[in-house]
Each structure stands twice: as C-alpha cells, then as structure tokens.
Amino acid sequence: MERETLDFDVVFVGAGPANLSGAFHLNRLIKAHNDAVANGQKAGPALGDIEIAVIEKGSTVGAHILSGAVMDPRALRELMPDFEEQGAPLESPVKEDFFLYLTAKQAIRSPITPPPLKNHGYYIVSLNRLTAWLGEKCEEAGVNIFPEFPGAELLFDDSDRVVGVRTGDKGIDKDGKKKANYEPGVDLRAKVTVLGEGPRGSLTKKLIERLGLDEGKERQVYSIGVKELWELPDDRYPVGRVTHTLGFPSDTQTYGGGWIYGMQNRILNIGYVTGLDYRDPLLDPHAEFQRYKTHPYIAKLLEGGKMIRYGAKTVAIGGYFAMPRTFADGVLITGDSAGLLNSQRLKGIHSAIKSGMLAAESIFQALLDQDFSATQLKGYEQSLQDSWIVPELRKVRNFHAGFKRGRWLGIVNAGLQFFTGGRAWGIFDHEKAQAGHLEMKKLSAYGYRGDRLEQRYDGLKFDGKLTFNKVTDVYHAAVGHDEDQPAHLHVLDTNICATRCAEEYANPCQRFCPAAVYEMVDEGGTGKKRLQINFSNCVHCKTCDIMDPYQIINWVTPEGGGGPDYKGM
Ligand SMILES: Cc1cc2nc3c(=O)[nH]c(=O)nc-3n(C[C@H](O)[C@H](O)[C@H](O)COP(=O)(O)OP(=O)(O)OC[C@H]3O[C@@H](n4cnc5c(N)ncnc54)[C@H](O)[C@@H]3O)c2cc1C
C-alpha cells in the first residue's frame, strides 16, 4: 500500500493547551530570530521556513477538551501578556470561594477556605473555548493545524529514535475491509515530535513502555472527573462564584470531591472527581456524581434547571514522583501527558501552557544547533525543573499519598504539608504508589455478594430531571463515531470477561466507564454472557485503559473526527 509521506520540522500531537502554546511560542521565536538576523541585530544564519504542524484527533480544535476549570493565569500571561485585550474567552474572574463539607443531609461552610483552594486572581473558563481560541491564534500566526488527524503510531528509525508519527487510516469497515472512501494514514516525518495528548496518551503510553521512560519513577495514578452544565432559571448562583466540596457521596476510603462554578448566562458548571484508585469494585464514578446531585443543598441549587451538556475525562494526579522522563531522541512530552498537574489544586492548565513554552524553547535551540538527540533535548527536562513547574509539584508531592490512609488522615497530611513544604514523616510518608487498578478489591474481599449495584447505590434512581442514566448523559456529550469501523477499544482476551472477571469483580468496566461503552449481554438464550463494546458511545476519557483490573483493555485512536463535542465545557 502506498502511504504518503510529508516532511515537517516539528509535529505536535494533540491540540490541547500544552501543544498549542508550544506551537505558538515556537513559531514566534523563529520569526523573531529570522527578523533579527535579517535586520543585522543578530549574527548567524536565519532558520528559514520551519514547518510546524499540530494534529488533533477531534473534529475541531477543542472538541475533545473537557476541564473544570478555574485557571491560574500565570502561564497564559507569560505566553501572551495581553490575553484579555486579545479576546481570550474568559467566563469570569473568580469573585468568591466557598468550601463546603457535605454530610448526607447538611452542607457545612468552612469559615476559612484552605489556601490551595483560594482562587483569587484566577479565572473561570470553558477550556473548550479557550483552547479553540488558542488554535485560532496559532492559525493567524501561520501554524498548520490538522483536526480529524489522530496520531495512530509513532515512527522510529533503526536506533529507536522517534522520526515522526503515522496518522490513522480512514474508511475501514468494522470487519477491517477497505470502504469506498478508504484513505491510508499519512507518515508525518519530523525532526522533533511533541506528545501533548493529555492524560494517558495512547502514543505516550507506548513510548514510555518502549523506551522505559518511567524507570525509577512511580506508576502514574489518575482520577476521573464527571461533569454537567446546567441552565438555571434565575440568578441564584452568581457568575464568578467557585465552590469546592468534600464529603458526600464518597466514602472515607475513596478519594473524591465536587465543584460548582458560576458561568455566564446562568450556566452552572458542576462536577465530581473520583480517584481511580478506589477499592470498592461496585463503585461507579458516574453514579457517584448522580448521587452528589441528590444532596439536599445541590438538588435545591439545580431545582427548575435543565441539564444541557455532559462529559467525563481523566486527570493524572501522581505528580512529582510519577513524572516520566520527558525527552528522548527526537521526542518531547508536554502537559498532562508528562504528569505536570498539581493534584492538590486540581490545576494543570497553567503547567500545560508553560511546559509547551519550555518545549518550544528547547526545540528552538535544537533547530539552531541542528541537533535533535536526547542529549540536546534533555535541556527541556532541565528547564521544567528550573521553572516554577517542578518546584510547585514538589511542594505537594505527598498530597495524594496521604489519602491512602483515608479522608481524615489525608486532610491532616495535606495541612501538615502546607507547613513543611511537602515533606512528610512516619505514617504520612510517601509510599511507592501502585497503579490504581491494583487497589480495587475483589467482591468477596469487599464483603459483597453478587453484583447487585444496590449494595452501594441503594435508592439511587435516574429520574431524567435531576439524575440521568449514562445513555441520556452521553447524548448530551454529542458523541459521534462512524459505527462501521473497527472498535477502537481493544480487549485482548474477552474470555476473561464472562469467567474470571465476572466472578472476581462483576465486570467493573460496566461501572467505571462513564459512557456505557461496556455491557455484558446474554448470548442468545444460552444463559451465558458476553462482552458487548458500544464503542460509538466512547467519550475518550481513557478510564477503561487505566482501571481494568487485568490491564487487557487498550484504548487506541478511532477514525479521525470521532468522539465527543465538548462545546462550552
Ligand atoms: C474534570 C477535570 C477538571 C479539571 N479542572 C481543572 C481546573 O479547574 N483548573 C486547571 O488548571 N486544570 C484543571 N484540569 C486539568 C486540565 O484540564 C489539564 O491539566 C489540561 O487540559 C492539560 O492540557 P494538555 O494540553 O496537556 O492536554 P489536554 O487538554 O488533554 O489536550 C490534549 C489534546 O490532545 C488530543 N489528542 C490526544 N491524543 C491524540 C492523538 N493520538 N492524536 C491526535 N490528538 C490527540 C486530545 O483530543 C486533546 O485535544 C481539569 C481536568 C479535568 C479532567
């Protein structure tokens, strides 16, 4: 088969805040250099036309971007000091911070907001909109952006040097045969490839495994955030108010918390984060969120409102100890793919933007030196250490580990860390975190009999007004995938599903997936069950790849353009 090859200097995989900032900054550095050489202000040769491309699997830039989000503007200000004048879509400056502890019936407002949850000087944003705007800024500056182009495979040379990326084929039917509209993916060859795929990037995961980039590091751990936007009938929740909650509905052994942000036009942004290192095999992050909304305080807030959008996405929360090596020959890793999110503040937009800028500076130097080896690109990792990113992560390095001993000790540990600059002793000391799926207990070890969900979610009903089942919610994520294509969720051994997994965990994929992708169905009157994969529902959150207890689910990119459309999220 003939495959087209296109040559670029730099290819950014993923059009998120990290890579768009990187492409924008690199383009600007090159232009400034070339102008300075042309004006005689700088010695040395100009760099000439440097070809930069950004590829994105979503149908548009921002389509797959879901976040909270309260943004610390520190990095955006460094990237573009006049971002407000340039029309950055900001919902509102944060005007007030509330911190609530929820018991089953009460909402108790803390008289003080814990320092990490103070958001004065920050902005509430729709990261979907902000990312789309960053994409426009890149295009105005002359950067090529290619939506609907998933990076399907990294290209390596004989010495394991990354030399580009192959995009996904189009027009393959569900049996693997070519359709009339078949188009093979293109080989985009590049001197440097930058992986900014967000949490649990599919290419990043393979690269880390292949080159051992996590050697001596901890396993990354994740959370999942499930979110809805609601249209309220009145101004009961002011724009600019930020509320964070702890407590209900999580049990004390499960890491989790909620958020409520006031956006423009009476839109309430509400969501719930659950740690993907939970122990209860019957836990369902989507059900946790639905239950969250039944709390009297929240139900009252939503009364008479209308749910208009839904989505879910994972967050890498391992932090300082779980950061992989971020460079190798011909490749750099940015943003959430590099594990740069501060889990204590649940903030990663600022570090993603900054990491993109630092990657751009290292690539610029590499272009000047015409050296794209790991030895040269190592400067990027050093610059992460020297910038404010790694010091910020160091200060909260033991935050998540503290919650392994339950909510209360986790809070005490978080408080102590504030005074010790991240150091922890004794029972709070950092332990080697194991991958989150290993924390899940078997049904019998948890004391469950059978798989009746009511054992955890007694009384939770989906009424279609306040609470929604997954299928209804997925409809509000505007997900679209051509159904006549191979499933992009590769389950390596489906025999386990109806046997071992059913007995040991009651098929937790049916619960941890927030989009009803996995379903155990009866096999035509035989009394046996088999796994059905409703891949067209997939919201690209990657939870299945992370949380499957046997690690036999591989999330790969579907045909370009497929997936959610997270407008306004
Ligand atoms: C529920 C939730 C709440 C959050 N709240 C906040 C908050 O309040 N404040 C804050 O600062 N941060 C918050 N974050 C974190 C923040 O959203 C991330 O840190 C930030 O988005 C990371 O940016 P990124 O560019 O690294 O990755 P992403 O934003 O994930 O972007 C990655 C892009 O790459 C694309 N992509 C992935 N793989 C491929 C591929 N193989 N080929 C082509 N394209 C690909 C994706 O479609 C996506 O567009 C939150 C995150 C979540 C999930």
Side-chain angles (χ1 to χ4, degrees):
M1 182 218 328
E2 284 288 305
R3 238 178 235 288
E4 198 182 345
T5 298
L6 295 174
D7 287 315
F8 288 92
D9 293 283
V10 186
V11 171
F12 288 86
V13 181
N19 272 357
L20 290 172
S21 306
F24 182 84
H25 191 47
L26 178 60
N27 185 58
R28 179 169 58 188
L29 289 170
I30 293 164
K31 278 200 172 129
H33 171 81
N34 287 348
D35 288 349
V37 171
N39 298 338
Q41 290 160 333
K42 211 173 178 184
L47 282 171
D49 283 338
I50 298 293
E51 294 292 339
I52 304 171
V54 183
I55 60 167
E56 166 57 46
K57 63 181 165 62
S59 56
T60 56
V61 172
H64 290 181
I65 301 285
L66 177 144
S67 188
V70 172
M71 177 183 70
D72 176 345
R74 182 176 192 177
L76 186 56
R77 198 162 277 139
E78 289 181 29
L79 181 73
M80 211 183 286
D82 59 345
F83 63 91
E84 283 172 282
E85 292 74 25
Q86 294 233 29
L90 308 164
E91 285 292 319
S92 169
V94 175
K95 294 180 185 152
E96 46 184 350
D97 276 308
F98 281 35
F99 179 60
L100 304 178
Y101 186 81
L102 303 184
T103 65
K105 295 263 179 295
Q106 306 248 314
I108 303 158
R109 185 171 174 198
S110 163
I112 48 155
T113 303
L117 297 181
K118 280 191 183 153
N119 294 296
H120 182 74
Y122 299 171
Y123 293 89
I124 298 177
V125 297
S126 149
L127 193 60
N128 153 272
R129 290 204 191 107
L130 190 81
T131 306
W133 171 81
L134 270 175
E136 284 164 21
K137 289 284 151 202
C138 283
E139 284 185 321
E140 279 167 22
V143 174
N144 302 301
I145 305 188
F146 302 102
E148 300 203 355
F149 272 82
E153 222 178 295
L154 280 174
L155 303 172
F156 292 87
D157 70 6
D158 294 343
S159 31
D160 254 2
R161 210 192 99 84
V162 176
V163 292
V165 61
R166 176 168 296 168
T167 65
D169 295 343
K170 282 193 171 164
I172 306 258
D173 75 9
K174 57 182 183 325
D175 302 317
K177 297 202 184 85
K178 293 175 188 165
K179 296 192 278 190
N181 63 344
Y182 172 71
E183 266 178 55
V186 180
D187 283 353
L188 305 176
R189 297 185 71 86
K191 292 169 182 149
V192 186
T193 304
V194 187
L195 297 177
E197 301 178 281
R200 194 68 158 200
S202 46
L203 299 183
T204 311
K205 175 180 147 183
K206 280 194 190 154
L207 181 78
I208 289 174
E209 274 167 19
R210 178 169 174 148
L211 302 184
L213 300 183
D214 56 354
E215 224 167 81
K217 309 284 174 140
E218 300 224 333
R219 291 292 295 266
Q220 185 57 269
V221 275
Y222 300 85
S223 290
I224 174 172
V226 181
K227 165 175 175 180
E228 288 171 354
L229 295 183
W230 281 66
E231 234 166 43
L232 295 183
D234 51 40
D235 294 326
R236 69 185 73 166
Y237 194 93
V239 61
R241 179 184 291 173
V242 164
T243 301
H244 288 113
T245 72
L246 195 66
F248 182 86
S250 293
D251 59 76
T252 56
Q253 297 302 311
T254 303
Y255 181 78
W259 79 82
I260 311 165
Y261 302 154
M263 298 175 61
Q264 288 175 19
N265 304 319
R266 296 175 178 164
I267 303 291
L268 194 80
N269 165 342
I270 180 165
Y272 202 81
V273 169
T274 298
L276 288 176
D277 49 2
Y278 60 77
R279 298 172 192 177
D280 182 345
L282 292 189
L283 190 144
D284 177 328
H286 170 269
E288 294 287 301
F289 173 54
Q290 298 307 316
R291 186 180 244 183
Y292 179 60
K293 291 184 294 171
T294 66
H295 187 279
Y297 174 84
I298 297 184
K300 189 151 186 287
L301 203 55
L302 297 174
E303 205 171 52
K306 187 176 166 217
M307 190 269 284
I308 52 167
R309 290 247 179 274
Y310 170 79
K313 193 169 173 200
T314 49
V315 192
I317 55 169
Y320 180 78
F321 292 110
M323 269 178 66
R325 178 146 73 83
T326 54
F327 65 95
D329 288 310
V331 67
L332 294 178
I333 309 176
T334 58
D336 275 16
S337 289
L340 302 180
L341 178 130
N342 176 336
S343 65
Q344 189 180 50
R345 306 202 290 151
L346 189 65
K347 285 191 177 54
I349 302 170
H350 64 308
S351 43
I353 292 176
K354 178 71 179 173
S355 71
M357 293 174 71
L358 295 174
E361 286 162 23
S362 291
I363 296 167
F364 175 65
Q365 193 54 50
L367 287 164
L368 290 176
D369 297 346
Q370 283 299 299
D371 178 358
F372 307 100
S373 66
T375 317
Q376 170 84 23
L377 295 176
K378 193 177 179 185
Y380 166 60
E381 183 139 322
Q382 190 56 48
S383 68
L384 290 172
Q385 305 277 346
D386 296 342
S387 72
W388 44 259
I389 297 181
V390 172
E392 180 181 326
L393 294 183
R394 246 187 87 73
K395 279 196 203 131
V396 297
R397 61 193 180 277
N398 287 304
F399 171 76
H400 184 69
F403 284 86
K404 282 190 112 180
R405 299 181 190 278
R407 180 186 300 153
W408 299 115
L409 287 178
I411 292 172
V412 172
N413 176 47
L416 286 177
Q417 274 200 56
F418 182 66
F419 295 104
T420 62
R423 189 170 305 159
W425 296 274
I427 59 162
F428 295 130
D429 211 353
H430 183 74
E431 284 173 27
K432 275 233 159 288
Q434 54 177 357
H437 69 275
L438 295 173
E439 300 288 346
M440 197 197 295
K441 296 220 179 326
K442 294 186 178 155
L443 288 171
S444 52
Y446 213 82
Y448 283 136
R449 287 161 195 251
D451 62 350
R452 286 180 310 104
L453 255 189
E454 308 87 77
Q455 292 173 104
R456 184 173 176 102
Y457 296 104
D458 193 23
L460 176 65
K461 302 243 169 358
F462 302 121
D463 64 7
K465 285 188 185 133
L466 174 66
T467 49
F468 303 94
N469 63 24
K470 289 183 185 173
V471 174
T472 309
D473 257 335
V474 167
Y475 172 78
H476 289 91
V479 185
H481 289 96
D482 183 347
E483 296 203 9
D484 191 14
Q485 66 173 301
H488 64 280
L489 301 147
H490 297 174
V491 180
L492 306 181
D493 178 1
T494 46
N495 291 327
I496 291 184
C497 306
T499 53
R500 250 184 95 187
C501 188
E503 280 159 30
E504 293 182 339
Y505 299 99
N507 303 106
C509 55
Q510 299 181 103
R511 295 179 290 281
F512 56 60
C513 168
V517 166
Y518 298 94
E519 211 181 332
M520 293 302 289
V521 295
D522 283 332
E523 205 160 20
T526 60
K528 286 191 188 150
K529 297 245 180 192
R530 73 172 167 81
L531 179 69
Q532 176 172 296
I533 302 177
N534 308 314
F535 71 86
S536 55
N537 283 356
C538 177
V539 292
H540 295 206
C541 70
K542 320 274 179 80
T543 305
C544 53
D545 192 293
I546 294 164
M547 207 51 196
D548 168 50
Y550 308 99
Q551 292 293 286
I552 53 170
I553 302 181
N554 247 336
W555 190 100
V556 302
T557 47
E559 195 170 291
D565 189 359
Y566 283 144
K567 273 201 184 72
M569 294 289 260

